[in-house]
Amino acid sequence: MSSTLKGITLKGSAELVAEFFSFGINSILYQRGIYPPETFTRVTQYDMSLYLTTDAKLKNYLTNVVSQLKEWLFDCTVQKLVVVITCLETNEVLERWQFDIECDKTAKQSSGPREKSIKAIQEEIRSVIRQITATVTFLPLLETACAFDLLIYTDKDLQVPEKWEESGPQMIADSEEVRLRSFTTTIHKVNSMVAYKRTDSM
Amino acid sequence: MDGLDDDTTVFTTLKSFKSFISQPDTSQHLAETSMTKSDLQRQYIHRIELEDAAAKIHSQTHLLQMAQEKKQMELSHKRARIELEKAAHSSARDFEREVDRNQDLLTRIKKLEEREAETAQVLNEQTEMNKALRKTMEGQNKKLEEKDSKISNTNEAICTLRDEIRELNHKIKNQEIQLATQATENESLQEQVEYQRRKYQEANQKYQSLQSSECLNSENELKIKELERRLALQEQDSVIVRNMRTELARVPEMERELKRLREENSYLRETKENSSLLKEESEGLRRKLERLEKIKEDMVNLELEKEKLAMKLQAWENLSQSTGLNIRKPEDLSREIIQIQQREIGLKQQNYSVTSSARALEKARTELQNELVQLRTKVLEEQKKREQQDALVRRLQKRVLLLTKERDGMRAILESYDTELAASEYSPQLTRRVREAEDMVQKTQAHNSEMEVQLSKAQEEAGSYKLQAQTAEMELDILKKQATNADNSAFVVGEEVSSLRQKIEELEAERGRLEEQNNVLEMRLERHNLQGDYDPLKTKVIHFRMNPTSLAKQERQDEVEKLREECRQLREHVRSLQAGGAVAAEEGTFNLPPSQEVLDLRRQMESAELKNQRLKEVFQKKIQEFRTVCYVLTGYQIDITTENQYRLTSVYAEHMEDSLLFKVGAV
């Protein structure tokens, strides 16, 4: 968390955004039923109850990715984070939860804190997560066994770390897109949206 | 020993000799019968002599032989002695060996004796044990005998018990018979009961039927009443019927009438149909008539039109005549029109060209006007110049005049000087001055002439300018005329304006379209961005290598592989099952869920095994029984020690171990 209650620094912003992604990804995985609901536990965050996984492997994976993401957020080299949900039977991409991250690169030079309270940011984050929860009402049901992957769009000149590799954008062939709310820490702005495969019934 | 043998040979030879001598007495006697007696005697003596000599030689040789033999004997004796000595030595050695062996044997004997003593002791112990055993045997025999007696007693008891059993069986049979009879009685009673029950049921049924019949009765009574009522009604009806009959008598007449009426009806119908047909026809005709009338009206109209047209045609023809054109038909007209249109187009084109030329001319005019203005200004300038030059010329001329006057004055002065002075002192100076003055005059004259030339040039130029101005004015006039014409073509300008406006509108529309396109493209870009597209020049996509998707895919692939393998094995299994047999080898690799069939088979197998075991047990029991019975009855027991080898033991044998072993031969 940021050291002061009134302002926010680059480091604090990166941590806040990374925390949001951790909870957001967990929420998506719970809401979309990628992992069985009994492997999740309730926690209270942002003044609302959220679900966090208890699956050790998944936990390990998420902490790995989120810590790396935090670094990149601090470096302002990350552009997008995408949660790709793939059908295991057909290897078809069914859903893409895309979080566009706009970094204010000037924050790297000027280290002074920005004028925005954490409370206000958390309020925005809460509304985004609420919306993620609400999307279940219109997203098509995932009837087959699915798995998820996290793609990170970064600047071209970034050195790919060990254990990471380049990937494709994993686009959906015939998709419908819905824009969700966004939030900003004044240093990082996160626009969220979901794209899903258009089904015949729709 | 050898000598003895030799003596015997001598004796045998002597004996043979004597026998030979005795023999010829008889044989020679026979021979002498054929020969002479003297010869015989001599021969005989000679022979004896010969024989004596021979005997002597013989004996001598014999003697020699004997001597040799003796020598040999001696030699052999010596050899024998040596051999004997050798033999003695060997025998002495043998003897020693024998003595040693003897000692060994003695020691062995001693040992054996000791052993014997031991064995004797053992034997004694054995015999004692034997005796004890025999005693116990005897005791057991006695016990056995007692047991036998007991057995016989029990046998007797068994016999008595059997008798009792037989009696009891008899009793049981009797009781069974009684039971059977009672059972039969019981059955009969039951039958009776059933019969009674049936009767009861029948009675019940009858009662029920009776009740129902009572009900029916009451109903029937009601019905009867009703029927009576109906009967009354029927009587009334019958009266009516009678009336009806009377009416019915009229029926045939009516029928006839009806027939007639029907015929009439049909006739009328036909006529109706005919009439309807006729009506239709008449209607059709009326319509036709109407149509014809209409057609007639049309005809009249058409005739009127025709006349009009004829008039028109006439007019046309007249027109053609008047115009001199070859218009007779509308085609001609159209042709003409087309031609006119073409002409019009041509004219339009001409017009356009003219307007364009007009525009060009306008432009030229404006240019020329400008030029004219310029020229005028130039002309004015030139005029000014000319005036200036004129003034200059005048001044110069004045000056020239002055100069000439001056010169003349000077010359006069000079001449006066010349005349007056004629001195040579000033003359050179004066001449020089004069010359100078003359030069100056010449220069001024040249200048004057130059100026004049310039003037003339300027005048010429002015003339040319004037000409130009005139031409320009002419042109201007022309252009003005054209401008008047151009005023006529103001609408052309209007057209141009409108076309320009149109163009502007088009451009506006295009702008709007482009803007829209731009918007669409922007939207598309946005959508692509939303779909996750990215600029590969600026961005790259990375993900964690060990992500859940790839792991899940890997797992899935493994599973599929495993299942495939299993499927393949199962297929093979099925194939082998279809082929029949050779299943047991692979049974270990499969843990098939036991199907119903397999379970049934297992149960059957278990029951069969149980059965087998029971049979074995029973068989063993039986064979034991048989063997004991054989042993008891015959007193012999046969055991199979090994294959093809049987041991026969008898109960009457002296010892328990006594037995006979038999072996089955190869045959």
Side-chain angles (χ1 to χ4, degrees):
Chain A
M1 284 295 132
S2 177
S3 54
T4 59
L5 276 168
K6 287 266 170 143
I8 189 157
T9 58
L10 175 60
K11 192 162 183 281
S13 171
E15 274 182 18
L16 212 63
V17 174
E19 191 187 51
F20 159 73
F21 280 129
S22 174
F23 283 107
I25 292 162
N26 267 302
S27 288
I28 291 167
L29 296 181
Y30 174 78
Q31 296 294 347
R32 303 304 292 140
I34 309 299
Y35 288 83
E38 60 267 19
T39 63
F40 287 86
T41 179
R42 266 159 107 82
V43 292
T44 305
Q45 179 75 19
Y46 309 127
D47 290 335
M48 62 197 286
S49 69
L50 292 170
Y51 291 90
L52 274 184
T53 185
T54 54
D55 188 315
K57 254 195 232 167
L58 181 60
K59 238 175 166 172
N60 186 30
Y61 169 70
L62 285 177
T63 45
N64 261 330
V65 173
V66 169
S67 59
Q68 182 60 60
L69 184 68
K70 208 187 286 177
E71 265 177 50
W72 284 331
L73 280 168
F74 186 70
D75 296 340
C76 289
T77 50
V78 60
Q79 295 172 2
K80 271 175 199 173
L81 177 125
V82 186
V83 181
V84 180
I85 294 171
T86 319
C87 174
L88 283 175
E89 277 175 29
T90 56
N91 277 348
E92 200 175 23
V93 180
L94 297 179
E95 266 175 42
R96 274 175 115 260
W97 295 80
Q98 187 168 306
F99 299 95
D100 296 346
I101 302 161
E102 288 169 25
C103 297
D104 184 4
K105 293 198 178 183
T106 56
K108 268 163 72 170
Q109 277 86 47
S110 61
S111 56
R114 303 289 179 97
E115 288 286 317
K116 185 158 186 178
S117 71
I118 288 173
K119 216 166 193 185
I121 295 164
Q122 285 194 345
E123 184 68 38
E124 285 178 12
I125 289 175
R126 182 157 61 230
S127 63
V128 173
I129 291 181
R130 281 231 175 92
Q131 230 180 0
I132 288 170
T133 312
T135 48
V136 182
T137 53
F138 65 81
L139 287 176
L141 200 67
L142 299 173
E143 282 160 339
T144 54
C146 292
F148 86 103
D149 190 8
L150 293 176
L151 303 182
I152 294 178
Y153 287 49
T154 65
D155 291 350
K156 188 76 185 167
D157 51 355
L158 182 106
Q159 186 80 34
V160 178
E162 202 189 357
K163 290 188 182 174
W164 288 73
E165 63 183 7
E166 287 201 35
S167 163
Q170 311 256 51
M171 301 223 270
I172 303 172
D174 185 14
S175 67
E176 292 264 336
E177 299 90 24
V178 176
R179 238 183 208 297
L180 303 179
R181 274 168 197 266
S182 60
F183 74 91
T184 176
T185 66
T186 67
I187 294 167
H188 295 106
K189 184 173 189 220
V190 179
N191 296 313
S192 45
M193 58 142 300
V194 57
Y196 54 94
K197 191 169 173 58
R198 201 194 302 247
T199 51
D200 296 333
S201 60
M202 290 186 80
Chain B
M1 294 286 242
D2 288 347
L4 264 173
D5 202 28
D6 283 341
D7 287 343
T8 47
T9 53
V10 171
F11 280 127
T12 47
T13 48
L14 274 171
K15 207 177 180 180
S16 64
F17 177 61
K18 275 170 185 172
S19 64
F20 179 72
I21 288 172
S22 61
Q23 218 173 15
D25 278 336
T26 53
S27 63
Q28 229 129 25
H29 193 70
L30 284 165
E32 274 173 339
T33 52
S34 58
M35 289 187 180
T36 56
K37 275 193 184 179
S38 59
D39 252 1
L40 231 158
Q41 194 70 32
R42 210 189 359 131
Q43 263 180 359
Y44 178 69
I45 295 158
H46 186 68
R47 256 202 200 175
I48 284 167
E49 282 170 351
L50 274 170
E51 276 172 8
D52 281 342
K56 271 176 191 170
I57 293 157
H58 192 259
S59 61
Q60 272 174 350
T61 56
H62 196 72
L63 217 149
L64 282 166
Q65 271 180 353
M66 285 300 278
Q68 276 177 348
E69 272 175 15
K70 195 193 158 188
K71 274 175 189 170
Q72 277 175 352
M73 283 285 279
E74 275 171 358
L75 279 167
S76 62
H77 188 71
K78 272 176 191 169
R79 243 180 260 153
R81 205 178 283 168
I82 290 156
E83 281 169 9
L84 256 171
E85 275 170 8
K86 276 181 190 170
H89 275 292
S90 62
S91 60
R93 253 177 262 147
D94 285 345
F95 182 72
E96 279 169 9
R97 258 182 244 150
E98 284 296 314
V99 167
D100 291 341
R101 210 188 278 170
N102 215 349
Q103 277 173 351
D104 284 345
L105 287 168
L106 275 172
T107 51
R108 259 190 218 174
I109 285 159
K110 271 174 193 168
K111 276 178 195 169
L112 287 167
E113 272 172 356
E114 281 167 12
R115 223 183 264 175
E116 209 190 328
E118 281 171 16
T119 48
Q121 276 178 1
V122 171
L123 215 138
N124 283 333
E125 283 167 12
Q126 287 278 337
T127 46
E128 277 167 15
M129 272 169 77
N130 255 344
K131 272 173 196 169
L133 283 167
R134 237 176 239 167
K135 273 175 193 167
T136 52
M137 276 285 286
E138 277 167 9
Q140 277 176 354
N141 272 338
K142 273 175 196 167
K143 276 180 193 170
L144 273 169
E145 275 166 13
E146 279 170 15
K147 274 180 188 170
D148 276 345
S149 62
K150 271 183 193 171
I151 284 162
S152 58
N153 288 336
T154 46
N155 275 336
E156 279 169 17
I158 283 161
C159 284
T160 53
L161 284 166
R162 267 181 194 158
D163 289 337
E164 275 177 23
I165 284 161
R166 258 176 234 144
E167 281 169 15
L168 285 165
N169 274 340
H170 275 294
K171 275 181 190 172
I172 285 160
K173 273 175 191 167
N174 289 333
Q175 279 179 354
E176 274 177 356
I177 290 156
Q178 278 179 0
L179 232 154
T181 50
Q182 278 176 357
T184 49
E185 275 175 28
N186 200 0
E187 275 173 15
S188 61
L189 283 166
Q190 272 181 347
E191 276 170 12
Q192 277 182 356
V193 163
E194 267 177 34
Y195 179 65
Q196 293 288 345
R197 209 178 278 162
R198 254 179 254 148
K199 267 186 180 174
Y200 173 71
Q201 280 176 351
E202 277 171 20
N204 257 348
Q205 280 174 354
K206 271 178 188 171
Y207 178 70
Q208 280 174 358
S209 61
L210 218 144
Q211 276 182 341
S212 59
S213 60
E214 271 176 11
C215 287
L216 279 169
N217 247 337
S218 57
E219 279 173 20
N220 282 330
E221 273 171 11
L222 283 170
K223 270 184 189 171
I224 284 158
K225 276 176 192 168
E226 222 173 286
L227 285 166
E228 275 172 0
R229 199 156 41 81
R230 271 188 201 172
L231 220 143
L233 283 169
Q234 269 192 348
E235 274 172 8
Q236 286 175 3
D237 285 348
S238 68
V239 174
I240 295 160
V241 163
R242 250 172 246 151
N243 292 338
M244 288 292 281
R245 254 180 213 161
T246 52
E247 276 174 27
L248 266 172
R250 264 185 266 157
V251 162
E253 281 174 29
M254 296 275 275
E255 273 180 356
R256 249 172 275 148
E257 213 171 318
L258 199 114
K259 259 185 200 173
R260 201 159 45 76
L261 283 166
R262 264 184 199 159
E263 278 168 15
E264 227 171 285
N265 221 343
S266 59
Y267 173 70
L268 282 168
R269 253 178 222 159
E270 279 172 17
T271 50
K272 201 183 166 187
E273 277 171 16
N274 281 337
S275 69
S276 62
L277 279 169
L278 283 166
K279 264 183 195 170
E280 277 175 18
E281 260 177 51
S282 69
E283 245 171 71
L285 284 167
R286 212 177 285 157
R287 270 182 216 147
K288 268 186 190 174
L289 211 132
E290 277 170 16
R291 250 180 272 149
L292 280 168
E293 275 172 4
K294 272 186 191 169
I295 287 162
K296 259 185 185 175
E297 276 173 24
D298 287 350
M299 273 265 291
V300 171
N301 287 333
L302 282 168
E303 268 180 11
L304 279 169
E305 260 179 52
K306 199 191 109 186
E307 272 171 21
K308 275 182 197 168
L309 285 168
M311 292 254 285
K312 270 189 190 174
L313 204 87
Q314 204 86 31
W316 275 105
E317 276 170 3
N318 288 338
L319 197 81
S320 69
Q321 278 173 0
S322 65
T323 52
L325 288 167
N326 196 17
I327 298 166
R328 286 277 167 75
K329 291 174 201 170
E331 285 99 64
D332 291 343
L333 185 70
S334 58
R335 189 156 43 78
E336 281 293 318
I337 286 161
I338 288 159
Q339 279 177 356
I340 287 162
Q341 277 174 344
Q342 280 173 348
R343 248 182 262 160
E344 203 187 330
I345 290 159
L347 285 167
K348 266 185 188 169
Q349 281 176 350
Q350 276 179 2
N351 196 11
Y352 284 130
S353 59
V354 163
T355 47
S356 59
S357 63
R359 259 176 243 151
L361 284 168
E362 184 90 357
K363 277 182 197 168
R365 187 179 68 95
T366 49
E367 280 170 17
L368 282 169
Q369 270 178 337
N370 291 337
E371 229 171 284
L372 194 83
V373 170
Q374 284 173 356
L375 283 170
R376 267 183 193 162
T377 50
K378 269 187 188 175
V379 164
L380 285 172
E381 280 170 14
E382 288 296 325
Q383 273 178 345
K384 275 178 193 172
K385 268 188 190 173
R386 207 186 62 176
E387 278 165 13
Q388 282 172 354
Q389 276 175 354
D390 277 347
L392 206 112
V393 164
R394 263 170 237 150
R395 262 185 280 150
L396 283 169
Q397 275 176 343
K398 274 177 197 170
R399 268 176 81 178
V400 165
L401 281 172
L402 285 171
L403 281 167
T404 45
K405 272 178 192 171
E406 214 179 277
R407 194 193 63 179
D408 287 343
M410 290 300 268
R411 256 184 203 168
I413 292 162
L414 277 172
E415 274 169 12
S416 65
Y417 276 137
D418 279 342
T419 54
E420 283 172 10
L421 297 165
S424 57
E425 288 159 277
Y426 304 107
S427 63
Q429 276 182 337
L430 284 170
T431 49
R432 194 161 41 91
R433 274 191 193 175
V434 166
R435 270 176 209 159
E436 277 176 4
E438 275 176 353
D439 284 348
M440 268 179 71
V441 168
Q442 275 176 351
K443 271 180 189 171
T444 49
Q445 274 179 347
H447 187 72
N448 208 0
S449 61
E450 262 181 36
M451 290 304 282
E452 272 175 354
V453 167
Q454 272 187 355
L455 192 85
S456 64
K457 264 188 188 171
Q459 274 173 341
E460 272 177 18
E461 267 181 44
S464 67
Y465 281 134
K466 264 185 187 170
L467 268 173
Q468 273 187 356
Q470 276 171 356
T471 52
E473 267 175 20
M474 287 268 284
E475 272 178 25
L476 192 79
D477 287 344
I478 292 160
L479 285 168
K480 268 180 186 165
K481 275 179 196 166
Q482 276 182 354
T484 49
N485 289 333
D487 280 339
N488 295 338
S489 65
F491 72 97
V492 175
V493 174
E495 264 182 28
E496 214 172 329
V497 166
S498 64
S499 71
L500 283 167
R501 257 183 211 154
Q502 233 173 322
K503 258 189 190 172
I504 286 164
E505 275 167 18
E506 275 174 22
L507 286 167
E508 195 83 6
E510 205 174 335
R511 194 180 64 89
R513 203 160 48 76
L514 284 169
E515 214 163 291
E516 243 173 68
Q517 223 169 358
N518 196 14
N519 281 341
V520 166
L521 283 169
E522 265 176 16
M523 262 168 63
R524 246 185 234 171
L525 201 77
E526 172 75 11
R527 243 195 103 187
H528 273 292
N529 191 33
L530 286 181
Q531 280 176 348
D533 208 359
Y534 64 100
D535 185 3
L537 293 174
K538 289 182 192 161
T539 311
K540 64 180 167 189
V541 183
I542 55 173
H543 68 154
F544 206 66
R545 197 174 291 141
M546 297 302 288
N547 62 66
T549 303
S550 60
L551 287 176
K553 274 180 190 167
Q554 187 64 39
E555 264 174 37
R556 201 179 162 72
Q557 211 169 343
D558 290 351
E559 202 177 332
V560 164
E561 202 65 29
K562 217 169 75 186
L563 285 171
R564 243 179 230 158
E565 180 64 23
E566 200 177 324
C567 183
R568 194 181 57 72
Q569 282 184 350
L570 284 169
R571 252 183 219 152
E572 272 176 24
H573 188 64
V574 165
R575 220 170 285 145
S576 66
L577 276 174
Q578 277 173 349
V583 185
E586 284 177 339
E587 216 162 33
T589 55
F590 297 106
N591 288 319
L592 282 172
S595 64
Q596 192 56 41
E597 206 184 346
V598 171
L599 280 174
D600 285 350
L601 285 168
R602 260 186 206 162
R603 220 170 292 146
Q604 277 181 23
M605 215 168 77
E606 273 170 20
S607 66
E609 269 178 12
L610 203 71
K611 215 169 157 184
N612 221 345
Q613 210 174 340
R614 293 252 170 82
L615 272 170
K616 258 187 197 166
E617 277 171 18
V618 168
F619 184 72
Q620 219 158 13
K621 220 157 119 190
K622 280 278 157 193
I623 201 116
Q624 197 62 40
E625 200 182 318
F626 179 74
R627 275 160 63 83
T628 48
V629 164
C630 268
Y631 188 61
V632 169
L633 289 178
T634 60
Y636 286 102
Q637 190 180 0
I638 300 168
D639 295 310
I640 303 168
T641 54
T642 56
E643 210 177 348
N644 293 339
Q645 198 168 325
Y646 306 95
R647 188 171 65 195
L648 180 70
T649 41
S650 173
V651 77
Y652 306 109
E654 262 184 80
H655 303 292
M656 283 295 278
E657 301 98 87
D658 287 353
S659 61
L660 287 165
L661 264 176
F662 294 94
K663 195 170 182 179
V664 177
V667 181

